[in-house]
Amino acid sequence: MDRRRFLQWAAASGAVGARSSAAAPAAGTLIDDVSHLNPVRVAGETRPRSTEDVRGALRAWRGRVCVGGGRYSMGGQIAAPGALHLDMRAMNQVVWFEPKRRAIRVQAGMTWRDVQEVIDPHDLSVKIMQSFSSFTVGGSVSVNCHGRYVGRGPLVNAVQAVQLVLAHGEVLELSRTRDAELFAAVFGGYGGLGVITEVELDLDVNAPMERLVQDVSLEDYPAFLQHRVLADSRALLHNADLRPPGFHAPRAITWVATDKPLTRPERLVPRNLNYGLERNAIWAATELPGGRLLRERFFDRQLLDQPAVVWRNHEASLDVAALEPRTRALSTYLLQEYFIPVPGFLSFARRMADILRQHRVNALNVSIRHSPPDRVSLLKWAPTEVLSFVLYYKQRNSEHASLESRFWTRKLIDAALAGGGRYYLPYRPDATRQQFHQAYPEARAFAALKARVDPAGRLSNQLWDRFLPQI
């Protein structure tokens, strides 16, 4: 009966793609993420174009519902078996834009690159986002993303309001002063409380930036960050790269505001570029004998030797396609991230390097970023000032490789927890339940709030199926 009622609504509204309306619940539709390691068979898939479409889908379908955007989370966060999947990418319109107020409201399926094309002609830039522009705004809210923005912290710090549709179809406007408890829980809530349909963003000024690159010792990096980056009012973006096999020599990359002439005139990275050279370089670095030395000599040296002055929006419009392998048939590229209080930086960095070497992890890079304490969100990954370690690695597609990675991942999580840190939830859910509860003790409050706004537990995915039931 649920299926029949949903299809009746779908036929009337036109909101469901042919795959969903043609497939029986038993056959369903396969939903997967960018890793290609987490295929989930859902009952059907719908692609809403408006908040009313979302409401209609939730009211017509009485089973479980899951939500997806760009599908860059890597551990089943976008799907649940037998659920109705809401593909939000057709909700990609601007609701309103006020350049003088430096504010914009967009539908949740809009990508950051879409936003940049609207605001760049007005010399405005996104205030906080990931390092790449391919992600959807709603998905970024649901993971409470961050980037390289100096002193900015998580995305919640740049959002004024969120529109949320609850499981029974009620539409809520959330802000720091209106339903503040729910507003705080939506960031990093991974679609467990409702469907994000619109987001109101603060914007910043677009400006030319100069890239400064410096190699720093591991021991000196926290002081370097404090005195040379955070204390520099010109600093806009910053990260430091730790490279294999030693992971002991941070290469600090800071973009500072400048009035120097541009070395690249483009305001945004062109769409649909051919990233064959970058993909070949990644393949060589991970597969060929001496590949890492090749990377150091030819690609990393360019970073040091070639000056760069670009628009802020140009650096912010990087395409994640540059990191996509030529094929994921045999292996895949994955991310993990750990948030460590600043005093524990050195001990965690050394322990991480030991674990990666001991288990021969095919790591391409570890990128270090900084975040001030998160004072707003509930499931916060930065309860104190933290340094994050973003691990980018390659593994085979076999079950054996996944089991091996789970083993060393739990060691990394233990190392982070031992230093008072946390791990990030958008990636493979390899943590034990005990590790999850230790990292996110606020999950009990999140579960209580979910029981209030979604008592039937309709909004779900594999992340919450794994970790919330025991609460």
Side-chain angles (χ1 to χ4, degrees):
M1 183 64 69
D2 287 344
R3 181 69 173 171
R4 187 180 304 118
R5 185 175 178 214
F6 174 72
L7 292 176
Q8 289 172 348
W9 168 82
S13 67
V16 180
R19 284 190 300 168
S20 293
S21 57
T29 301
L30 276 179
I31 299 296
D32 206 347
D33 58 51
V34 67
S35 73
H36 295 182
L37 293 179
N38 305 288
V40 179
R41 192 167 295 281
V42 299
E45 178 182 7
T46 177
R47 296 168 184 165
R49 296 182 178 275
S50 67
T51 300
E52 283 303 309
D53 284 349
V54 172
R55 295 182 71 200
L58 290 170
R59 288 173 172 174
W61 176 265
R62 295 189 177 179
R64 297 210 299 169
V65 178
C66 53
V67 187
R71 303 188 181 184
Y72 289 103
S73 290
M74 299 179 174
Q77 294 88 346
I78 62 169
L84 171 66
H85 178 78
L86 302 185
D87 182 343
M88 301 297 289
R89 289 173 290 185
M91 291 188 63
N92 58 2
Q93 301 300 309
V94 175
V95 179
W96 53 254
F97 175 36
E98 297 183 10
K100 291 184 179 179
R101 196 161 66 87
R102 295 184 189 173
I104 190 170
R105 186 175 176 109
V106 301
Q107 290 183 314
M110 201 170 191
T111 66
W112 294 110
R113 174 53 190 257
D114 295 334
V115 175
Q116 288 164 345
E117 292 191 347
V118 173
I119 66 177
D120 181 76
H122 300 270
D123 290 323
L124 294 173
S125 184
V126 173
K127 201 170 198 175
I128 300 172
M129 56 174 279
Q130 297 97 327
S131 296
F132 293 85
S133 65
S134 311
F135 307 95
T136 61
V137 175
S140 298
V141 169
S142 73
V143 305
N144 201 16
C145 78
H146 70 105
R148 297 172 286 163
Y149 296 87
V150 175
R152 297 293 194 188
L155 178 59
V156 68
N157 293 332
V159 175
Q160 287 300 315
V162 171
Q163 185 181 83
L164 188 75
V165 183
L166 299 183
H168 59 277
E170 182 182 1
V171 180
L172 299 179
E173 283 290 325
L174 311 177
S175 70
R176 288 169 177 77
T177 58
R178 186 173 183 179
D179 282 328
E181 182 184 20
L182 195 52
F183 177 84
V186 164
F187 292 86
Y190 296 86
L193 300 174
V195 182
I196 300 165
T197 49
E198 295 182 7
V199 182
E200 183 179 330
L201 299 162
D202 289 333
L203 301 175
D204 218 334
V205 176
N206 189 28
M209 306 184 303
E210 179 184 15
R211 183 178 64 201
L212 306 178
V213 183
Q214 183 174 343
D215 289 334
V216 186
S217 72
L218 194 67
E219 295 79 5
D220 292 340
Y221 178 72
F224 172 88
L225 176 69
Q226 182 65 42
H227 300 297
R228 300 287 297 278
V229 180
L230 299 180
D232 187 347
S233 60
R234 302 174 304 151
L236 299 174
L237 305 177
H238 174 80
N239 67 284
D241 288 339
L242 297 174
R243 289 145 293 150
F247 305 100
H248 55 64
R251 176 160 290 163
I253 305 166
T254 309
W255 292 88
V256 300
T258 185
D259 56 5
K260 292 182 179 180
L262 294 167
T263 59
R264 300 196 63 163
E266 301 96 338
R267 294 179 67 93
L268 297 169
V269 174
R271 287 185 184 262
N272 303 318
L273 290 178
N274 184 340
Y275 292 103
L277 180 63
E278 290 82 355
R279 291 170 179 174
N280 288 341
I282 292 174
W283 180 85
T286 57
E287 297 290 347
L288 294 181
R292 287 170 177 164
L293 183 60
L294 181 71
R295 165 185 163 175
E296 175 68 27
R297 286 183 175 177
F298 293 100
F299 293 96
D300 288 0
R301 291 308 306 180
Q302 288 185 354
L303 194 67
L304 291 169
D305 297 340
Q306 294 185 3
V309 178
V310 303
W311 287 105
R312 170 172 166 167
N313 280 348
H314 186 276
E315 181 65 15
S317 61
L318 299 174
D319 191 336
V320 76
L323 300 179
E324 181 68 13
R326 288 196 176 276
T327 176
R328 292 183 185 265
L330 298 177
S331 58
T332 194
Y333 294 73
L334 299 165
L335 288 167
Q336 296 180 8
E337 188 165 1
Y338 302 92
F339 303 97
I340 309 301
V342 175
F345 166 80
L346 189 59
S347 60
F348 178 81
R350 289 171 172 166
R351 179 62 182 140
M352 176 198 69
D354 288 344
I355 292 170
L356 296 180
R357 287 194 298 264
Q358 177 186 352
H359 294 276
R360 299 181 180 180
V361 178
N362 195 352
L364 287 82
N365 184 64
V366 177
S367 181
I368 304 169
R369 289 95 185 277
H370 168 270
S371 175
D374 180 354
R375 307 295 189 192
V376 181
S377 56
L378 176 59
L379 292 178
K380 52 179 64 71
W381 44 257
T384 62
E385 182 185 15
V386 296
L387 290 169
S388 72
F389 291 73
V390 184
L391 168 63
Y392 182 48
Y393 67 102
K394 182 178 184 178
Q395 77 169 50
R396 300 303 181 197
N397 289 345
S398 67
E399 181 62 25
H400 177 72
S402 290
L403 290 174
E404 283 187 336
S405 70
R406 183 176 303 157
F407 183 70
W408 57 259
T409 296
R410 289 177 177 178
K411 286 188 174 183
L412 286 175
I413 294 174
D414 280 339
L417 295 174
R422 302 189 173 195
Y423 71 97
Y424 205 13
L425 297 175
Y427 306 120
R428 305 206 75 192
D430 287 334
T432 66
R433 289 182 175 87
Q434 181 180 354
Q435 287 175 325
F436 169 79
H437 293 307
Q438 185 176 346
Y440 290 93
E442 303 90 350
R444 294 189 179 277
F446 180 86
L449 183 58
K450 179 173 175 59
R452 190 180 57 161
V453 300
D454 182 19
R458 293 184 61 207
L459 275 298
S460 192
N461 53 52
Q462 291 191 309
L463 175 73
W464 295 134
D465 284 351
R466 175 173 173 78
F467 292 115
L468 279 190
Q470 286 193 343
I471 301 176

